[in-house]
Amino acid sequence: METLLQGTAEIRFTHPDDFRDWVRQHKRREMVEKLLTEREAISRYVADGDYIAYDFSSLTRGPQALVREIIRQRRKDLWVCAEFTLHETALLVGGGCASRIDVGFLGYGSYIGRAVSEGRVRVFDWTNGALASRMLAGARGIPFMPVRNLLGTDTLRRSGARVVNDPFTGDPVCLVPALNPDVFLVHVHQADAFGNARIFGTNLFALEAAMAARKVIVSAEEMVDPLEFRKDPSRTTLPYFLVDAVVHLPFGAYPAGLQARYELDLEHIDKLNAIQAEEQMQGYLAEYVYGVEDHAEFLDEKVGWRRLQDLARRATIREGYH
Amino acid sequence: METLLQGTAEIRFTHPDDFRDWVRQHKRREMVEKLLTEREAISRYVADGDYIAYDFSSLTRGPQALVREIIRQRRKDLWVCAEFTLHETALLVGGGCASRIDVGFLGYGSYIGRAVSEGRVRVFDWTNGALASRMLAGARGIPFMPVRNLLGTDTLRRSGARVVNDPFTGDPVCLVPALNPDVFLVHVHQADAFGNARIFGTNLFALEAAMAARKVIVSAEEMVDPLEFRKDPSRTTLPYFLVDAVVHLPFGAYPAGLQARYELDLEHIDKLNAIQAEEQMQGYLAEYVYGVEDHAEFLDEKVGWRRLQDLARRATIREGYH
Amino acid sequence: MVEFTDTECMICTAARLLEDRKTVFVGWGMPQLVAMLAERLYTPNLVQVFEFGAIGPQSLVPFVRGTMGGPTNVYRSLSWSNMNWAFAYAGTGYVDYGMIGAAQIDAYGNVNSTLLGGTYERPARRFPGSGGGNEVASLCWKTILVMKHEPRRFVERLDFMTSPGYLNGPGGREKAGLPRDTGPWRVVTSKALFGFDEETKRLALLGVLKGLSAGTVLEGMEFRPLVTERLEAIVPPTAEELRVLRQQIDPSGIVIRGEQMRAER
Amino acid sequence: MVEFTDTECMICTAARLLEDRKTVFVGWGMPQLVAMLAERLYTPNLVQVFEFGAIGPQSLVPFVRGTMGGPTNVYRSLSWSNMNWAFAYAGTGYVDYGMIGAAQIDAYGNVNSTLLGGTYERPARRFPGSGGGNEVASLCWKTILVMKHEPRRFVERLDFMTSPGYLNGPGGREKAGLPRDTGPWRVVTSKALFGFDEETKRLALLGVLKGLSAGTVLEGMEFRPLVTERLEAIVPPTAEELRVLRQQIDPSGIVIRGEQMRAER
């Protein structure tokens, strides 16, 4: 297979056979309860140096509470898949947790941009679609996925993709390597104790990433009876055997919104948007992350019931989310 | 891209750019009513020589009424994607409509086997999964999909797949070419006049094939208000712009069952299973296909209201199908 | 004495092989009955995966013959999805067992379910082909083959290799690019149970139906499999198994019919 | 005289370009407001496609800034799916228009949204990168680029080519393997509207904001675009457009704020 062009990025690539071995040995087929606290879940399933991915966006259903717990536990040297996310990645950089970022979409605001310019974090440029395709390849157990974009650009040259001649048409085609994250974090509307999980609305690549990842941590807005999943199997987003840990975290996406459950907290988000200097970042982390024991304390002391109720009350669009 | 091995099968392959051109020119983005009779739909959208695919199985939700209409209109030289189907393909061969078959799973009973042995129809061996992967490639606008099966077998050698060295692992990997059928037939639980369509339960590759196909004919068990789709967008199987024709065909899957609507008619299916000799096949076609004007007459004269009601009454499992 | 059909014998023997709390990719037809029986008697927490996208159904009885996506088969699944996702679970190593049928097998467990005799273009007999069998045999960790016991089905050279066993022997699968450490694990026939020798990857007789001798079972086979020293005596279908099969799973008797057999209890 | 911001001007000019009864891939941020405005005033049957999987939403106002998958944005979609499917629609040619932002463009409509200055490893300024922009610019039929009008953004050589325009000229995209007959179609800035010359694929000035001259608009650009003979006078934001934008879409005024501009009605 002659490579016409090869991008320069370092890639986290797992041979499909090695990933299969992991699945065989570590992913439990038995229906066992996997309910953990966020502290236990992150402590057990996120290690220094891990490659982590998450779904969905920073303003809608992002796994914010889990990300804050990673920072609280001061994980180091994470490689982050920054797909359609904004603050999570910036906070992970601010907390000194992330050293490398595969870019889909790199945060916003100037904080993270400066971290890159100053060399505190290394970025590898991909695209949102390429990362989603890489995840799909990882989820199918194949080594790469062909795509018809990236071609011709610096993004390609700085990515870890390759260009080859497609044997069927003779034309150049781009191959993106499979992505098998070490950890996938996802906040869902509903889960049971075994890990069956349901998301309402759209998602980036929830099933792809859960299948492609070694370790999957689900935080759930609400816990439901296992039979609920069997009564409406089309609504199941993740079957339990993909999932390693379930954490019951109401308002787990805060300050993002969760469709049909609560609106985003724009005021708090503006606090995040305003972070530019290192001092601001560390101030934010000290107050909202390090300064609390866990998500419950965060909600209790830093947000408050009244505000949470107000955000919930404003989530009046329920159509389609059931 | 050095090919280590190339299967011998003739393939129906469309350059992704040619398929894109078709979509640009022929697939209507405007919401227009596409309600046709089955006669109009087949006459307008199925041509001699077309490559056709369908979803789901012969015993569950297969597009039987549309297939009977193709036979009634005596289409010739069709190339059939025989994925997880039984009688439809046998009937198309019996009607002299099919000349080539891409085999996933080749009917059952001896009729079709003999048609192959006698050279009345040519088969190309693939697998169900390979055909589904080909459809996925067609639906993503890419020229091929890598798979890690077929390898090492005669199925590979008789297919149109290729083996190359994967540039990421160095190991051999199989590439199956994209499939872009000329026609995709699908029977759905609900549709609106524009072509928005909903299937309940599982499917083979309904969305993949609808995106990959040049022409999509939907037969719908029931017609619903367009707003229904917008009120529950997660349930939409096909958005309207993929669909060229909508035919309202209650009991359109008969003698197959349709989940939560009616059970299959095992007695009629046994008639199909019993077909071995050419005479039997022609007798069946004469009575049930050529001998009636359309699906309504078929139901009225060959099945009868009492029987249909009985099949509907027996479809008592509704959980999950809503 | 107990009387049963060869089909019933295969179903019962295969059902005892499955492991509880594991995933199994269930092929169309007889494997469905095996899984249904196992779920009722031996492996209540078996997670079935069907190629058209049902994950973990709790299938209802009676079995509706010929169907695979019907409402009774997929009753109370964990997830309803589609074929590309179903095979993706197998591709990523999530499926422990696979179970498919065969028309012929060779000494390395390679499978023919495509044709017999003649040429490829004009075979003497044409069968359904791979279906999803090639995926199952390629991607699941351990594949169980189920085949009627007829010595002529054990051949030196397959008329067509539909689905991969160990190909031409040790390392053959890996060299071809198939996933590592996969391959056929058991061959269940109506009279015997085979495994594969770890070193040579050749078929090895593990057991014979109670009352039969190894010699009888192997007679007429084109190749001679290894024979394990301590041959297991396969218990014929038990009363309980037959009761569930005949009364619950296939009361019509159409699917489980076959050649009549008998054995000592 | 009418007063408006540069942001408002871009949004209004872009909204008038969209075609009713067509599909458009809507990038994050400003393109969302363009589509919302167009849907309300010009193209009620526009089918929006969002990269995270919403197809054909009837987005509610007011726009919740920063969001793309929130309940108001995706209200009453035809289908809710995910990113791989969203881009598949573009890949198969189902998406007529794409609309994305840019930090720099060159004479062939190639786009930089990744970085400015310095080295790749240590850029002087780092931007979000492609997001889904590379997919949109590669796979949709006609791409509309929206960019604040600053002459220094029109460069001879991009600091980084994030998303493809016509690459190095006619045939460049096809040679690279990009889908045939695609490419940038319009560039909307706060002062001008550009297209591309059919033969040379180079940027061509099509119109300038009413009251401005071509010379003013092109001054300071690193390359000189072609200038169409009959330059269109771009009507500044109309009262109706501004009413919908300011009262319905962004009553908070945060998203549509920007540099103040004025023009003759």
Side-chain angles (χ1 to χ4, degrees):
Chain A
M1 189 119 140
E2 191 203 353
T3 296
L4 304 176
L5 192 153
Q6 176 175 352
T8 56
E10 184 183 344
I11 61 172
R12 180 65 66 96
F13 180 75
T14 306
H15 191 296
D17 280 345
D18 296 332
F19 181 70
R20 287 175 53 93
D21 282 344
W22 172 277
V23 167
R24 187 177 202 178
Q25 288 162 33
H26 294 89
K27 302 300 277 194
R28 285 172 294 179
R29 276 69 152 159
E30 62 270 40
M31 269 210 173
V32 289
E33 296 213 352
K34 296 163 187 163
L35 266 176
L36 298 176
T37 65
E38 70 263 41
R39 186 180 303 171
E40 294 167 333
I42 298 300
S43 146
R44 197 173 300 176
Y45 292 109
V46 183
D48 289 353
D50 272 357
Y51 188 109
I52 70 169
Y54 26 80
D55 185 289
F56 177 53
S57 96
S58 300
L59 274 60
T60 308
R61 202 177 48 70
Q64 318 271 348
L66 293 178
V67 169
R68 284 188 294 263
E69 180 62 25
I70 288 177
I71 299 170
R72 198 175 289 123
Q73 294 194 21
R74 299 183 188 265
R75 284 291 170 285
K76 296 281 171 251
D77 200 27
L78 300 179
W79 190 333
V80 177
C81 178
E83 166 115 350
F84 208 83
T85 68
L86 312 170
H87 313 111
E88 290 96 335
T89 309
L91 291 175
L92 285 166
V93 169
C97 308
S99 61
R100 282 175 287 197
I101 304 178
D102 279 345
V103 177
F105 186 84
L106 191 67
Y108 72 105
S110 55
Y111 178 82
I112 198 163
R114 218 177 36 255
V116 175
S117 298
E118 293 170 1
R120 281 184 287 136
V121 63
R122 288 174 63 199
V123 294
F124 306 105
D125 275 278
W126 297 85
T127 67
N128 279 348
L131 291 171
S133 295
R134 293 184 61 191
M135 212 67 97
L136 181 59
R140 287 174 63 86
I142 53 177
F144 61 85
M145 183 65 67
V147 300
R148 291 196 70 205
N149 63 296
L150 286 175
L151 294 154
T153 63
D154 289 330
T155 311
L156 170 68
R157 282 181 275 276
R158 290 299 185 171
S159 77
R162 287 164 189 252
V163 180
V164 300
N165 276 325
D166 160 31
F168 294 96
T169 63
D171 297 341
V173 69
C174 182
L175 309 183
V176 297
L179 181 53
N180 291 100
D182 294 306
V183 182
F184 177 55
L185 308 173
V186 59
H187 188 65
V188 304
H189 286 80
Q190 300 179 329
D192 67 18
F194 306 118
N196 290 302
R198 239 184 222 163
I199 288 170
F200 299 131
T202 65
N203 66 87
L204 290 186
F205 44 37
L207 178 55
E208 289 94 320
M211 283 186 70
R214 282 185 172 78
K215 299 172 283 186
V216 176
I217 305 176
V218 162
S219 65
E221 193 63 28
E222 57 190 41
M223 301 302 298
V224 297
D225 189 275
L227 189 56
E228 289 299 306
F229 292 91
R230 294 193 183 273
K231 283 184 171 176
D232 196 358
S234 297
R235 288 286 199 220
T236 303
T237 311
L238 310 179
Y240 73 92
F241 50 80
L242 300 180
V243 173
D244 295 279
V246 179
V247 188
H248 182 204
L249 290 176
F251 288 95
Y254 179 92
L258 182 67
Q259 304 97 321
R261 298 294 190 273
Y262 43 90
E263 277 297 305
L264 70 176
D265 186 348
L266 267 178
E267 227 175 273
H268 193 102
I269 285 164
D270 277 339
K271 257 184 215 151
L272 286 161
N273 289 345
I275 295 174
Q276 296 206 6
E278 192 56 40
E279 203 185 335
Q280 287 173 293
M281 172 60 85
Q282 295 311 322
Y284 179 90
L285 293 176
E287 176 164 7
Y288 295 105
V289 181
Y290 306 133
V292 292
E293 279 293 298
D294 57 15
H295 181 59
E297 192 174 311
F298 169 78
L299 293 181
D300 225 16
E301 302 197 356
K302 304 297 174 186
V303 190
W305 184 83
R306 193 187 300 259
R307 179 156 206 90
L308 294 174
Q309 278 310 107
D310 184 53
L311 297 172
R313 186 185 52 73
R314 283 155 52 196
T316 51
I317 300 175
R318 286 157 194 278
E319 213 176 73
Y321 301 109
H322 49 79
Chain B
M1 189 120 143
E2 191 201 352
T3 295
L4 305 176
L5 193 153
Q6 176 175 353
T8 57
E10 184 183 344
I11 60 172
R12 179 65 66 97
F13 180 76
T14 306
H15 192 294
D17 281 345
D18 295 334
F19 181 70
R20 287 175 54 92
D21 281 344
W22 172 277
V23 167
R24 187 177 203 178
Q25 288 162 33
H26 294 90
K27 303 299 277 195
R28 284 172 295 177
R29 276 68 152 162
E30 63 270 40
M31 271 210 170
V32 289
E33 296 213 353
K34 297 162 187 164
L35 266 175
L36 298 176
T37 65
E38 69 264 42
R39 186 179 303 169
E40 293 167 333
I42 299 299
S43 146
R44 197 174 300 177
Y45 292 110
V46 184
D48 289 352
D50 273 357
Y51 187 107
I52 70 169
Y54 27 80
D55 183 290
F56 178 55
S57 96
S58 299
L59 274 61
T60 307
R61 202 177 49 70
Q64 318 270 349
L66 292 178
V67 169
R68 284 188 292 264
E69 181 62 24
I70 288 176
I71 299 169
R72 200 175 288 121
Q73 293 194 21
R74 299 183 189 265
R75 285 290 170 284
K76 296 280 171 251
D77 201 26
L78 300 179
W79 191 332
V80 176
C81 179
E83 166 115 349
F84 208 84
T85 69
L86 312 170
H87 312 112
E88 291 96 335
T89 310
L91 291 175
L92 285 165
V93 169
C97 308
S99 61
R100 283 174 288 196
I101 305 178
D102 279 344
V103 176
F105 186 83
L106 193 66
Y108 72 105
S110 56
Y111 178 82
I112 199 164
R114 219 176 35 256
V116 175
S117 299
E118 292 169 1
R120 279 184 288 135
V121 63
R122 289 174 62 199
V123 294
F124 306 105
D125 275 278
W126 296 85
T127 68
N128 279 348
L131 291 172
S133 295
R134 293 184 61 192
M135 212 66 96
L136 180 58
R140 287 174 64 85
I142 54 177
F144 61 84
M145 183 65 67
V147 300
R148 292 197 69 204
N149 63 297
L150 286 174
L151 294 153
T153 64
D154 288 331
T155 311
L156 170 68
R157 283 181 274 276
R158 291 299 184 171
S159 77
R162 286 163 190 253
V163 180
V164 299
N165 277 324
D166 160 31
F168 295 96
T169 64
D171 298 340
V173 67
C174 182
L175 309 183
V176 297
L179 181 53
N180 291 100
D182 294 307
V183 182
F184 177 54
L185 309 172
V186 59
H187 188 64
V188 304
H189 286 80
Q190 300 179 328
D192 68 18
F194 306 118
N196 291 301
R198 241 184 221 162
I199 287 170
F200 299 132
T202 66
N203 66 87
L204 290 186
F205 45 38
L207 179 54
E208 289 95 320
M211 283 186 70
R214 282 186 172 76
K215 299 171 284 185
V216 176
I217 305 175
V218 162
S219 66
E221 194 64 27
E222 57 189 42
M223 302 302 299
V224 298
D225 189 275
L227 189 56
E228 290 300 306
F229 293 91
R230 295 193 183 272
K231 284 184 171 173
D232 196 359
S234 296
R235 288 287 200 221
T236 302
T237 310
L238 310 179
Y240 73 92
F241 50 80
L242 300 180
V243 174
D244 296 279
V246 180
V247 188
H248 183 205
L249 289 177
F251 288 94
Y254 179 91
L258 182 67
Q259 304 97 321
R261 297 294 189 273
Y262 44 91
E263 277 297 304
L264 70 176
D265 187 347
L266 268 178
E267 227 175 273
H268 193 102
I269 284 164
D270 278 340
K271 256 184 216 152
L272 286 160
N273 289 344
I275 294 173
Q276 298 207 4
E278 192 56 38
E279 203 185 334
Q280 286 173 292
M281 173 58 87
Q282 296 311 321
Y284 179 90
L285 293 176
E287 178 166 3
Y288 294 106
V289 181
Y290 306 133
V292 293
E293 279 292 299
D294 56 16
H295 181 60
E297 191 174 310
F298 168 78
L299 293 180
D300 224 16
E301 300 197 357
K302 304 297 175 186
V303 190
W305 184 82
R306 193 187 302 256
R307 179 156 205 89
L308 294 174
Q309 280 310 108
D310 185 52
L311 297 173
R313 187 186 51 74
R314 283 156 52 198
T316 52
I317 300 175
R318 285 158 196 276
E319 213 176 73
Y321 301 109
H322 48 78
Chain C
M1 291 295 279
V2 52
E3 302 210 343
F4 48 88
T5 68
D6 53 354
T7 310
E8 288 171 334
C9 189
M10 281 183 274
I11 293 172
C12 295
T13 308
R16 297 172 204 154
L17 292 176
L18 291 170
E19 226 183 317
D20 202 17
R21 302 183 175 81
K22 291 286 180 185
T23 46
V24 57
F25 211 111
V26 177
W28 184 79
M30 206 193 305
Q32 291 177 273
L33 282 88
V34 173
M36 292 176 95
L37 180 62
E39 226 174 37
R40 273 156 186 77
L41 292 181
Y42 306 118
T43 58
N45 306 294
L46 188 68
V47 180
Q48 298 181 49
V49 179
F50 290 159
E51 60 177 308
F52 58 79
I55 314 295
Q58 297 178 333
S59 305
L60 295 177
V61 288
F63 174 62
V64 183
R65 65 196 154 85
T67 64
M68 208 184 191
T72 59
N73 296 145
V74 304
Y75 187 65
R76 296 211 163 162
S77 296
L78 291 166
S79 168
W80 286 341
S81 136
N82 61 25
M83 184 172 284
N84 271 308
W85 280 115
F87 285 129
Y89 286 108
T92 44
Y94 271 100
V95 189
D96 302 302
Y97 293 91
M99 194 170 18
I100 58 172
Q104 282 183 331
I105 69 163
D106 70 13
Y108 291 113
N110 299 305
V111 172
N112 177 13
S113 57
T114 301
L115 58 83
L116 285 181
T119 62
Y120 176 70
E121 290 75 14
R122 300 283 185 100
R125 290 188 63 192
R126 171 73 211 199
F127 302 122
S130 161
N134 184 287
E135 278 78 19
V136 171
S138 300
L139 304 176
C140 297
W141 289 108
K142 296 173 172 183
T143 304
I144 299 169
L145 306 172
V146 185
M147 186 175 78
K148 194 176 156 77
H149 196 94
E150 296 174 336
R152 64 186 169 84
R153 291 170 177 264
F154 294 87
V155 295
E156 193 67 57
R157 194 184 160 73
L158 299 173
D159 291 13
F160 190 95
M161 194 205 294
T162 311
S163 302
Y166 292 104
L167 300 177
N168 53 0
R173 287 174 72 91
E174 287 75 6
K175 192 164 167 241
L178 290 166
R180 193 167 62 208
D181 294 338
T182 54
W185 175 65
R186 292 289 182 268
V187 179
V188 175
T189 76
S190 38
K191 291 182 180 168
L193 176 67
F194 300 87
F196 292 87
D197 179 63
E198 276 213 9
E199 215 164 297
T200 63
K201 300 296 184 193
R202 284 179 66 92
L203 198 69
L205 184 65
L206 301 182
V208 293
L209 187 62
K210 205 173 162 186
L212 298 181
S213 71
T216 326
V217 161
L218 301 181
E219 199 185 315
M221 285 172 57
E222 275 190 18
F223 61 90
R224 181 154 179 96
L226 304 172
V227 178
T228 311
E229 264 182 51
R230 300 172 76 97
L231 270 189
E232 183 194 341
I234 298 168
V235 176
T238 66
E240 180 69 355
E241 287 168 343
L242 289 174
R243 187 187 62 75
V244 172
L245 258 182
R246 292 173 184 175
Q247 292 178 22
Q248 293 180 23
I249 297 178
D250 188 27
S252 76
I254 295 183
V255 185
I256 55 176
R257 69 187 167 191
E259 200 178 310
Q260 284 299 318
M261 298 175 66
R262 52 170 55 195
E264 296 286 341
R265 274 251 181 253
Chain D
M1 290 297 278
V2 52
E3 301 210 345
F4 48 90
T5 69
D6 54 355
T7 311
E8 288 171 334
C9 189
M10 280 184 274
I11 293 173
C12 296
T13 308
R16 297 173 203 153
L17 292 176
L18 291 169
E19 227 182 317
D20 203 17
R21 301 183 176 81
K22 291 287 180 183
T23 47
V24 56
F25 211 112
V26 177
W28 184 79
M30 208 194 304
Q32 290 177 274
L33 282 88
V34 173
M36 292 177 94
L37 180 63
E39 227 174 36
R40 274 157 186 76
L41 292 181
Y42 305 118
T43 58
N45 305 294
L46 188 68
V47 180
Q48 298 182 49
V49 179
F50 290 160
E51 59 178 308
F52 58 77
I55 314 293
Q58 297 178 333
S59 306
L60 294 177
V61 289
F63 174 62
V64 183
R65 64 196 155 86
T67 64
M68 208 183 191
T72 58
N73 295 145
V74 304
Y75 187 65
R76 296 210 164 164
S77 295
L78 291 165
S79 169
W80 285 341
S81 138
N82 61 26
M83 185 172 282
N84 271 308
W85 280 115
F87 285 129
Y89 286 108
T92 45
Y94 271 100
V95 188
D96 302 302
Y97 293 91
M99 193 170 19
I100 59 173
Q104 284 183 328
I105 69 163
D106 70 13
Y108 292 112
N110 300 303
V111 173
N112 176 14
S113 58
T114 299
L115 59 82
L116 284 182
T119 62
Y120 176 70
E121 289 75 15
R122 301 282 185 100
R125 289 188 64 192
R126 172 72 211 198
F127 303 120
S130 161
N134 184 286
E135 278 78 18
V136 171
S138 299
L139 305 175
C140 297
W141 289 108
K142 296 174 173 181
T143 304
I144 299 169
L145 306 172
V146 184
M147 188 174 78
K148 192 176 157 75
H149 196 94
E150 297 174 335
R152 64 187 168 83
R153 291 169 177 265
F154 294 88
V155 296
E156 193 69 57
R157 195 182 160 75
L158 298 173
D159 291 12
F160 189 95
M161 195 204 294
T162 311
S163 302
Y166 292 103
L167 300 178
N168 54 0
R173 287 175 71 93
E174 288 73 7
K175 193 164 166 240
L178 290 166
R180 192 167 63 208
D181 294 338
T182 54
W185 175 65
R186 291 288 183 270
V187 178
V188 175
T189 75
S190 37
K191 291 182 180 168
L193 175 67
F194 299 86
F196 292 85
D197 179 62
E198 277 214 8
E199 217 164 296
T200 63
K201 301 296 185 191
R202 285 179 66 92
L203 198 68
L205 184 65
L206 300 182
V208 294
L209 187 63
K210 205 172 161 188
L212 299 180
S213 72
T216 326
V217 162
L218 301 182
E219 199 185 314
M221 286 173 56
E222 275 191 18
F223 62 90
R224 180 153 180 96
L226 304 173
V227 178
T228 311
E229 264 182 51
R230 299 171 76 96
L231 272 187
E232 184 194 340
I234 298 168
V235 175
T238 66
E240 180 71 355
E241 286 168 344
L242 290 175
R243 187 186 61 76
V244 171
L245 257 182
R246 293 172 183 176
Q247 292 178 22
Q248 296 180 21
I249 296 179
D250 187 28
S252 75
I254 295 183
V255 184
I256 55 176
R257 71 186 165 190
E259 202 178 309
Q260 284 300 317
M261 297 175 68
R262 52 170 55 195
E264 297 286 338
R265 276 252 182 253

